[in-house]
Amino acid sequence: MFDESRESREVLEQTAAQMREAVAKLAVQLRPFPAFMGMTSLQAIELEPPDSKGGWGCVVVLPDGEICELELEVIPGPVGPTDVDQVDRYRPLELSAGDYIHFAAAALRVMGRKLERRKAN
């Protein structure tokens, strides 16, 4: 992809920083933020990983524009064994600039499409 020279790393870091700002600005415009998998209690948009070999979990963009990994855990609810509840946790990701750029581009595409659909309706 890129040579690992100092100049290329600087370009990647600058691009990632600009994209971080763009993702945050677009996320703020997308109100109400979409529900994750139809769950009204959880607002997040799942993002496609750069490859299937990366060991990525469920990477999402949140209403503030943060890109992180979502961990959902199903736990028994208060009523009985058939009643279940969930605990969601967001784990910060330590992404390289190149990986962040990939996820940020995916976030911009999907959020942009959602905004366009809203404006069309």
Side-chain angles (χ1 to χ4, degrees), residues 12 15 35-36 41 52 55 63 67-68 78 87 101-103 112 117 120:
L12 285 171
T15 302
F36 181 76
S41 63
S52 60
I67 294 174
C68 60
V87 175
I101 290 167
H102 171 85
F103 283 118
R117 276 191 234 126

Side-chain angles (χ1 to χ4, degrees), residues 3-52:
D3 178 24
E4 285 296 318
S5 68
R6 189 181 100 247
E7 293 84 14
S8 64
R9 284 191 305 272
E10 287 175 5
V11 168
L12 285 171
E13 291 295 331
Q14 290 171 356
T15 302
Q18 291 171 341
M19 291 185 81
R20 185 171 276 108
E21 289 177 26
V23 168
K25 286 179 184 177
L26 193 56
V28 168
Q29 294 176 35
L30 193 56
R31 297 288 186 248
F33 205 79
F36 181 76
M37 296 179 63
M39 295 182 237
T40 57
S41 63
L42 184 58
Q43 295 176 315
I45 299 172
E46 187 171 7
L47 303 174
E48 291 295 320
D51 60 45
S52 60

Side-chain angles (χ1 to χ4, degrees), residues 18 32 74 80 104-105 110:
Q18 291 171 341
V74 177
V110 71

Side-chain angles (χ1 to χ4, degrees), residues 83-97:
D83 182 37
V84 294
D85 204 351
Q86 72 183 32
V87 175
D88 44 88
R89 294 183 191 96
Y90 303 102
R91 187 173 65 84
L93 293 171
E94 294 181 23
L95 299 171
S96 67

Side-chain angles (χ1 to χ4, degrees), residues 53-111:
K53 299 175 187 170
W56 304 103
C58 180
V59 178
V60 297
V61 61
L62 300 175
D64 64 358
E66 182 181 355
I67 294 174
C68 60
E69 184 177 4
L70 170 63
E71 296 174 344
L72 288 176
E73 181 180 345
V74 177
I75 59 173
V79 176
T82 59
D83 182 37
V84 294
D85 204 351
Q86 72 183 32
V87 175
D88 44 88
R89 294 183 191 96
Y90 303 102
R91 187 173 65 84
L93 293 171
E94 294 181 23
L95 299 171
S96 67
D99 286 337
Y100 182 84
I101 290 167
H102 171 85
F103 283 118
L108 291 170
R109 277 192 303 275
V110 71
M111 289 189 300

